[in-house]
Amino acid sequence: MAQPVKVLIVDDSRTTRALIKRSFAQNPDIEVCGEAANPLEARDLIIKDQPDVITLDVEMPGMNGLQFLEKIMRMRPIPVVMVSSLTAKGADTAITALQMGAFDCYPKHNVAPGEDAFAGLGRLVVLAARSQPVSRIQRRTPSAPVSHAQTTWGNSVDLVAIGSSTGGVEALEEVLSGFPQKSPPVVICQHMPPLFTASFANRLNQSMPALSIAEAQDGEVLQPGMVRIAPGGDRHLVIDNSGGKYITRLISGAPVNGHCPSVDVLFKSVAKHAGRNALGIILTGMGR
């Protein structure tokens, strides 16, 4: 029988720590080996208990979660799941954490009394325990973009669709950095909560001036050099074809395979309307 995943909970709120611990108690694959109210306590417990995974609050007094994450990644990389509030500031900080090497970010949800606000956190922790922590701080400089990237598109690819989930923030940055200015339009479904996708799109747009990167809006006509990311929330991003032009549509719908927006929904629409003229790329995934 496999040993349960040892988890260290780091959060300055005693109530939040108790709620996370209670949620984890429902999962037989998880054992809470310790709790810390601040990074200094957490540092001692990391040495003492050697957890497999850490859940880390993004915003804490004193040394915040990002500063502590940087220290973890420098000294002893451990899979870290950041816990963040669903605010614009929290989303921006969460994207920075993912760029630094955090496994994933779990948004704090407002739920009805009696409901488990951290119901999905345990699944992320178990997945994180199977991963290899990668510190962006210590990573080698990525190799130069492939020199033939500009010519391999030819006239055969009119549209690129990319699907990604956990690990996608790092992967998308690296992939898109090699795209030329006049590349075919790109549509992306990155499984993220609302606000997180807006922050991510803005961050990419600032760092890649050759491309026009933004959250997708309903009814946009896609042009070369445009990159559009499905906004997190309750609508799916799909592609339509009108008069030979590809147009973005945001449609309401139930989650597909647990996700909304869904990579499956986007890819099916691209296959329908672009067919062999499209290139589909799957960067990373969870579960199935």
Side-chain angles (χ1 to χ4, degrees), residues 38-39 59-65 67:
N38 58 64
E59 296 150 341
M60 290 186 294
M63 183 191 299
N64 64 33
Q67 292 170 321

Side-chain angles (χ1 to χ4, degrees), residues 167-209:
V169 168
E170 293 183 34
L172 282 169
E173 281 187 289
E174 198 155 331
V175 169
L176 291 176
S177 67
F179 278 32
Q181 187 173 10
K182 292 299 181 181
S183 65
V186 181
V187 285
I188 297 172
C189 185
Q190 162 71 49
H191 293 150
M192 274 185 174
L195 293 180
F196 282 44
T197 45
S199 179
F200 182 43
N202 290 336
R203 187 78 61 94
L204 288 176
N205 192 55
Q206 291 171 9
S207 63
M208 300 180 194

Side-chain angles (χ1 to χ4, degrees), residues 2-3 22 30 40 86 92 97 101 119 143 156 192 226:
Q3 294 294 316
R22 186 172 68 183
I30 295 177
L40 293 178
L86 267 177
D92 195 54
S143 56
S156 61
M192 274 185 174
M226 289 175 65

Side-chain angles (χ1 to χ4, degrees), residues 227-243:
V227 178
R228 291 298 180 262
I229 299 174
D234 57 1
R235 294 185 295 174
H236 294 286
L237 171 63
V238 298
I239 297 302
D240 199 359
N241 190 332
S242 177

Side-chain angles (χ1 to χ4, degrees), residues 217-220 236-240 242 247-251:
Q217 298 182 18
D218 187 66
E220 284 188 287
H236 294 286
L237 171 63
V238 298
I239 297 302
D240 199 359
S242 177
I247 300 171
T248 57
R249 298 294 184 197
L250 297 176
I251 60 171

